[in-house]
Amino acid sequence: MLFSAIEQAPADPILGLTDAFKADARSNKINLGVGIYKNEAGQTPVLDSVKKAEALLLETQTSKSYLGIEGVAEYSALVQDLLFGESSDIRQSNRLFTAQAPGGTGSLRVAAEFLVNVANVSTIWVSNPTWANHNAIFTAAGLTVKSYRYYDKQNHGLDFDGMLADLSQVEANDVVLVHGCCHNPTGIDLNLEQWQQLANLCKQQQAMPLFDFAYQGFANGVEEDAAGLRLVASIVPELMVANSFSKNFGLYNERIGGITLLSESTDSGQRAFSQVKKTIRAIYSNPPAHGALIVATILANPELKQLWIEEVKQMRERIHKMRTLFVSKLADAGITQDFSFIERQNGMFSFSGLSVEQVDRLKQEFGIYIVGSGRISVAGMTRSNMDDLVAGIKAVL
Ligand code: PMP
């Protein structure tokens, strides 16, 4: 018997929380666990730009035949425009190669398989802390995962000196995973000067940056958020990007993202990309079409693109407003502990500093669901659940 001796796998710490939330009968329960955008009404809507693109596709699509291994034909160039800027030197350099892939997770996994099996990479460095799934994805592909300091607990900021000190130990051909913006879980990003120093260090150590870019548009703007990536790309000879459109297009269940290589030369890039395609062929052969067609339809149509940029702005600004409201309501409730750092963090998440015990009490006593690390998904806050949330936090502090 193959199955009888198998042990139960532990529930995923974040997705398991969603299951527990669903099973909770309390009407005033609040889910601040998983990173899903919610509007003021607590819903995760389909964007108008997406609905319009889908209507166009319904009329014009004539076949559901297989895509090529690298996905929808127009998609790659449009993704490169978004990541690197349409008219930038890098974009014009013939050194970029993009394959569509199933979400950020699928992109990271394909990248990892390629790095291990083709590029002979053995070690990847990730920030401490990082998105919980990074370790699982990279370990499953056979990489050794090492971590570099990132979060300064005392100041609720970036421990950049610690980060540089740890990364000074990277060896040639190691890979350094960085979050393009809206670092998950801390919400703390590098500034341009720090990106430059990091790029110089990677270049000097002959290590390659891998950008996990899952939140473009959620920090300061679609273009603004790519500034770090673009700066690093102007310094290092090679890098990779695993991007996701789950959040910024609200296409969570369409599983749409991409793997992009920036190579030193067109020739080496073509060879490397042929191996990325070979890697994909052996995993899922070729990707699903719907999400990529939606994204490509929007990005290729100036009116739809403008509408999408406006919708990303609305999501970003709503989260910013919730940060401000949360901090002021905590102060109004007479809580003297300083939470002002929450307003300085980027993206969906806030590293609240709440302890495991406090997080547990919030769940048991108040039906407020937060990840054990104290990471709060600010995107789940609304004006109507804010008072209950603040009251719960006040009770457990
Ligand atoms: N990277 C980071 C940093 C993320 O936060 C997420 C989503 N939580 C992903 C990758 C994966 O995104 P996707 O859902 O598109 O696989």
Side-chain angles (χ1 to χ4, degrees):
M1 296 289 226
L2 293 182
F3 303 154
S4 54
I6 294 176
E7 280 176 28
Q8 180 75 25
D12 180 89
I14 298 177
L15 300 182
L17 202 65
T18 304
D19 293 340
F21 175 79
K22 281 186 190 151
D24 191 327
R26 284 171 282 192
S27 62
N28 62 345
K29 61 185 177 175
I30 304 173
N31 188 0
L32 304 178
V34 67
I36 297 179
Y37 177 77
K38 303 242 175 70
N39 63 16
E40 209 26 63
Q43 286 150 355
T44 305
V46 181
L47 300 187
D48 284 345
S49 51
V50 167
K51 280 272 183 214
K52 290 191 167 145
E54 285 184 311
L56 284 175
L57 287 171
L58 199 60
E59 278 181 23
T60 53
Q61 199 168 44
T62 53
S63 174
K64 297 277 188 193
S65 174
Y66 288 126
L67 298 178
I69 296 173
E70 71 270 49
V72 166
E74 318 78 76
Y75 180 81
S76 299
L78 292 162
V79 170
Q80 291 170 10
D81 287 347
L82 200 62
L83 296 177
F84 293 96
E86 259 172 74
S87 50
S88 67
D89 290 347
I90 294 268
R91 178 67 187 88
Q92 304 300 325
S93 67
N94 293 322
R95 291 166 51 215
L96 291 171
F97 300 85
T98 300
Q100 181 195 325
T105 307
S107 305
L108 286 166
R109 181 63 190 264
V110 171
E113 294 287 339
F114 162 79
L115 290 169
V116 171
N117 297 319
V118 182
N120 290 322
V121 172
S122 54
T123 303
I124 189 162
W125 295 73
V126 302
S127 60
N128 180 19
T130 194
W131 178 45
N133 211 14
H134 279 150
N135 196 35
I137 293 169
F138 298 136
T139 306
L143 286 164
T144 299
V145 181
K146 292 187 179 169
S147 68
Y148 57 84
R149 274 171 280 173
Y150 192 83
Y151 185 60
D152 174 355
K153 221 174 173 178
Q154 252 74 51
N155 301 310
H156 302 282
L158 180 67
D159 178 5
F160 191 62
D161 290 342
M163 179 177 179
L164 285 188
D166 290 347
L167 289 179
S168 68
Q169 298 166 38
V170 303
E171 294 181 6
N173 302 333
D174 282 0
V175 170
V176 178
L177 183 102
V178 290
H179 300 220
C181 70
C182 305
H183 183 269
N184 178 2
T186 67
I188 296 158
D189 294 329
L190 275 61
N191 63 31
L192 280 182
E193 158 129 35
Q194 291 163 336
W195 278 121
Q196 176 153 14
Q197 286 187 54
L198 179 73
N200 287 336
L201 185 142
C202 286
K203 189 175 176 183
Q204 193 190 335
Q205 309 284 113
Q206 296 174 25
M208 189 192 72
L210 165 57
F211 276 76
D212 180 345
F213 208 14
Y215 298 93
Q216 186 174 2
F218 274 85
N220 297 304
V222 169
E223 288 296 311
E224 291 82 347
D225 292 355
L229 167 64
R230 293 174 189 179
L231 179 63
V232 173
S234 71
I235 296 170
V236 300
E238 293 178 336
L239 60 74
M240 288 178 80
V241 186
N243 83 283
S244 165
F245 292 129
S246 299
K247 322 277 161 150
N248 52 9
F249 280 82
L251 288 172
Y252 304 88
N253 66 16
E254 297 295 353
R255 311 308 300 137
I256 180 62
I259 305 139
T260 297
L261 309 184
L262 171 69
S263 58
E264 194 171 18
S265 68
T266 304
D267 178 54
S268 67
Q270 277 166 346
R271 280 183 279 114
F273 192 62
S274 71
Q275 295 285 354
V276 170
K277 289 204 289 185
K278 190 173 168 222
T279 305
I280 290 173
R281 177 77 173 131
I283 307 178
Y284 52 82
S285 190
N286 51 75
H290 194 62
L293 287 171
I294 293 169
V295 171
T297 303
I298 293 172
L299 293 179
N301 175 321
E303 252 173 58
L304 285 182
K305 185 172 177 188
Q306 199 43 50
L307 174 60
W308 169 68
I309 286 176
E310 192 51 44
E311 292 186 285
V312 177
K313 181 168 176 244
Q314 280 169 15
M315 292 193 276
R316 175 175 70 244
E317 290 184 347
R318 199 192 84 75
I319 297 174
H320 273 301
K321 278 191 200 135
M322 287 304 108
R323 287 186 183 280
T324 309
L325 186 64
F326 182 48
V327 171
S328 72
K329 288 253 180 190
L330 288 169
D332 290 351
I335 294 168
T336 50
Q337 194 174 323
D338 180 25
F339 281 106
S340 61
F341 59 88
I342 289 175
E343 280 189 85
R344 298 193 292 275
Q345 298 164 332
N346 285 328
M348 286 198 181
F349 302 115
S350 185
F351 223 39
S352 63
L354 292 170
S355 67
V356 176
E357 293 74 31
Q358 288 167 333
V359 166
D360 195 50
R361 278 192 63 197
L362 282 170
K363 182 166 97 178
Q364 305 300 344
E365 295 173 31
F366 300 94
I368 297 171
Y369 288 74
I370 296 172
V371 181
S373 63
R375 185 197 81 170
I376 290 178
S377 178
V378 181
M381 294 182 193
T382 64
R383 279 175 208 284
S384 40
N385 67 22
M386 193 64 83
D387 287 338
D388 284 345
L389 172 64
V390 169
I393 290 179
K394 186 175 180 181
V396 303
L397 278 181

